Amino acid sequence: METNTLILPKPKRQIFILSGQSNMAGRGGVVRAADRKYWDGLLPPECSPHPSILRLAANLQWEPANEPLHVDIDAGKVCGVGPGMAFVNALRPRVGDEVGLVPCAVGGTAIREWARGEKLYENMVKRAKESMKGQENCEMKALLWYQGERDSQSEEDAAAYKVNMETFIHNVRQDLDFPSLPIIQVALGSGFEFIEKVREAQKAVDLPNVVYVDAKGLQLKEDNLHLTTESQVQLGRMLAEAYLTHFHASPIGNETQF
């Protein structure tokens, strides 16, 4: 007797790049002791692993995603909770597909270090391209970008931020052959003397499919620079809301604040 076997289509893998500096890499739950720093290991339920969530490790192999997502990428620092897992877990009920995260953020970096030809930029592009290899049913969905604290230390760097950020976006889109790649940037919630100049520059970026969420007001750790674990969870939800609102159905190209 013949039986018909139902073959279900393989779910799509939706790819998200996570890039920038330390608050994207994650310092939530990182404790500074007298002789060392360490992650406290406390994992909010919003950051829990799930079989459908993968991450591209430093060796360019896919593996189950767990916090800290940037442990082998921002390898010179102690990494903790960032916004990435909370972002994906907030998306899952709406997306329904497999999600691949591509961590690329490195703490303490200025935007000039993310210029085309620089090591950080070229590594990010290489990792993004590698994430699409050998995957017939995958889609690059967005770049999440949280960077700028370093550039708020200098008036000259802050003044150049808008041009540098727009150049970065043009270059990434060109090098990934994705001219409409959605970009969600985070307007700084902390920084140094010229933070407002950088925030103004971030909000003034006027390119299609670029939106921002605002981290101003999110709770900071005692260093007044890095987001707490709870704030990282909140930021992840904000990023998910921005993605679902602007890019999940029909992208729109105007800057919008959340």
Side-chain angles (χ1 to χ4, degrees):
M1 179 178 177
E2 292 186 5
T3 58
N4 293 325
T5 302
L6 179 63
I7 301 176
L8 297 175
K10 185 178 179 181
K12 289 182 179 179
R13 180 177 298 172
Q14 303 199 15
I15 307 292
F16 294 89
I17 306 167
L18 310 176
S19 200
Q21 58 179 113
S22 57
N23 271 316
M24 178 59 81
R27 299 293 186 263
V30 173
V31 178
R32 181 191 295 269
D35 58 342
R36 66 189 180 100
K37 288 183 180 179
Y38 62 93
W39 178 44
D40 62 16
L42 299 178
L43 193 67
E46 296 91 343
C47 300
S48 297
H50 188 274
S52 68
I53 309 175
L54 305 175
R55 79 166 196 122
L56 192 70
N59 64 4
L60 301 179
Q61 299 298 310
W62 288 106
E63 64 180 28
N66 293 280
E67 293 285 14
L69 286 174
H70 281 78
V71 64
D72 57 350
I73 303 299
D74 194 10
K77 312 285 174 56
V78 177
C79 294
V81 174
M85 291 298 289
F87 165 77
V88 181
N89 278 316
L91 284 187
R92 281 198 303 106
R94 295 281 297 275
V95 173
D97 290 323
E98 192 174 72
V99 175
L101 297 175
V102 184
C104 298
V106 176
T109 53
I111 197 166
R112 64 178 177 272
E113 297 176 76
W114 293 92
R116 178 186 272 160
E118 296 292 333
K119 180 179 178 181
L120 292 174
Y121 175 88
E122 297 301 332
N123 186 56
M124 179 187 68
V125 169
K126 176 184 177 181
R127 288 175 56 73
K129 289 181 176 179
E130 192 69 29
S131 73
M132 301 290 287
K133 281 186 179 179
Q135 301 293 329
E136 296 180 0
N137 206 20
C138 68
E139 296 177 295
M140 181 70 68
K141 302 306 290 187
L143 166 64
L144 311 186
W145 177 259
Y146 191 170
Q147 187 279 333
E149 293 94 341
R150 176 75 178 272
D151 294 88
S152 71
Q153 292 179 302
S154 156
E155 186 171 14
E156 182 180 0
D157 290 342
Y161 195 89
K162 180 176 183 287
V163 169
N164 286 335
M165 185 64 195
E166 290 178 344
T167 300
F168 168 83
I169 292 170
H170 284 303
N171 289 343
V172 169
R173 287 173 166 174
Q174 185 176 62
D175 291 341
L176 294 182
D177 194 24
F178 192 167
S180 62
L181 174 67
I183 311 283
I184 307 175
Q185 57 172 345
V186 181
L188 295 183
S190 62
F192 300 96
E193 182 178 358
F194 301 101
I195 179 176
E196 288 305 322
K197 282 186 176 293
V198 175
R199 282 175 49 79
E200 289 169 10
Q202 291 170 325
K203 296 176 183 180
V205 170
D206 186 20
L207 295 172
N209 283 1
V210 178
V211 301
Y212 76 90
V213 300
D214 199 338
K216 189 171 185 178
L218 294 180
Q219 184 181 18
L220 302 173
K221 297 170 62 178
E222 61 278 359
D223 61 8
N224 289 316
L225 188 63
H226 295 112
L227 299 183
T228 64
T229 296
E230 293 77 10
S231 291
Q232 289 285 17
V233 170
Q234 188 174 347
L235 178 61
R237 289 172 172 166
M238 292 164 63
L239 289 164
E241 180 183 354
Y243 174 76
L244 291 170
T245 299
H246 293 278
F247 304 121
H248 185 53
S250 55
I252 54 178
N254 296 323
E255 287 263 336
T256 305
Q257 176 185 345
F258 288 86

